[in-house]
Amino acid sequence: AAAAAAAARGGGTTLRASLRIPVLGSRHASSVLKASSLRVWDQSATLSKDRTLCSPAPGSSLVVHREKEAMAAVQFSSPPVNALSLELCRELTSVIAELDADPAIDGILLGSAVPGIFSAGLDLRAFHGASEDDLAEYWTAVQEMWLTLYTTRLATVAAVNGHAPAGGCMLALSCDERVMVDSAKYRIGLSETQVGIVAPPWLASLLVDVTGVRRAYRMLLLGELVDPQEALARGIVDEVAPLYQLYGAAERRLSTLLQVPSQARSATKQQFRRASADALRDRQSEDLDEFVNMVSRSDVQAFLGKYLESLKKKHDNSE
């Protein structure tokens, strides 16, 4: 199972206990819990064009930094592409849960410390040649990470500094608002079909919520990725900004959200998001089985192998 469960709170009541980790009803379910410690630096930060934050703690894939006005900045720092490894998923789950439980924090600015990449999404290397138990452990961590981020009481704004395909787009769409760097070379979208897998219903619904059914349907079929301006037109992001203004724009949006009384803001958020979160909780074991069965198929494994080999060749040729 994943690390600490979500601690989404409304009116001071924690929902941590309501997150059901699948231990029954699935032959792939796991009951192993693993948490990672939170690293938060209690120092004020001055925003600048370069936005240089402190280095991550040894062994950490995240930089966590306290900001002004009850904000915390959480940045991915797992070069080269911030792939969502098992460890990163667990650490992000733990960090968000602990920030959620901190009464001094009301909002998160989610970003990346790796230039040009928000997150490349799920770690495909973890899929290829993996055992069913390993796949189950990984997907359970992904499920819990999404539930934790999606249902947190905290206001969340994503500062998308570059590419955000597949799971990277999932993280951005799970935030309350999104600001993306305004550069035509970057892409965002749910591109799962391009690597031979299918976005589960809870993930697909994130795109439906912002683009509408018909447009989301076609984007998911094609695994379509779009540039920032098109993402803005389709509602995938709320704002685009030059790189040097990206974090300032995201911080302003977060500040606006924090001006609303926290209990009212959190209750409204839960009202809109509870159904989608419960839809996964109610069939979390089935979702786990479907993922493991899909990725274990020989044709999917063969496709993943070829895709990973093509990436390796591309990387070797660029050196």
Side-chain angles (χ1 to χ4, degrees), residues 130-207:
S131 68
E132 290 191 349
D133 285 345
D134 287 341
L135 289 172
E137 183 180 28
Y138 179 82
W139 194 244
T140 301
V142 171
Q143 291 175 328
E144 296 298 332
M145 176 186 66
W146 177 72
L147 285 168
T148 304
L149 175 59
Y150 189 71
T151 64
T152 178
R153 69 169 179 89
L154 302 170
T156 52
V157 176
V160 183
N161 67 315
H163 293 298
C169 182
M170 170 192 71
L171 292 170
L173 289 174
S174 298
C175 292
D176 298 317
E177 297 190 3
R178 294 154 291 284
V179 182
M180 188 171 185
V181 62
D182 192 7
S183 174
K185 66 182 179 181
Y186 296 127
R187 296 291 185 272
I188 187 171
L190 296 179
S191 54
E192 281 74 9
T193 55
Q194 293 289 334
V195 293
I197 60 179
V198 179
W202 57 266
L203 176 52
S205 69
L206 297 176
L207 194 59

Side-chain angles (χ1 to χ4, degrees), residues 26-93:
S26 168
R27 63 190 180 90
H28 300 302
S30 170
S31 59
V32 178
L33 289 176
K34 181 178 180 181
S36 60
S37 61
L38 173 63
R39 299 101 176 164
V40 176
W41 286 265
D42 289 306
Q43 53 187 344
S44 60
T46 300
L47 296 176
S48 68
K49 289 185 178 182
D50 295 328
R51 180 69 178 194
T52 301
L53 298 183
C54 51
S55 300
S60 173
S61 298
L62 298 174
V63 177
V64 184
H65 192 87
R66 285 195 187 276
E67 296 288 339
K68 58 185 179 181
E69 300 176 13
M71 298 178 189
V74 177
Q75 291 196 319
F76 303 115
S77 182
S78 183
V81 294
N82 290 332
L84 299 177
S85 65
L86 175 65
E87 293 74 20
L88 194 155
C89 291
R90 284 175 166 168
E91 187 175 12
L92 182 59
T93 302

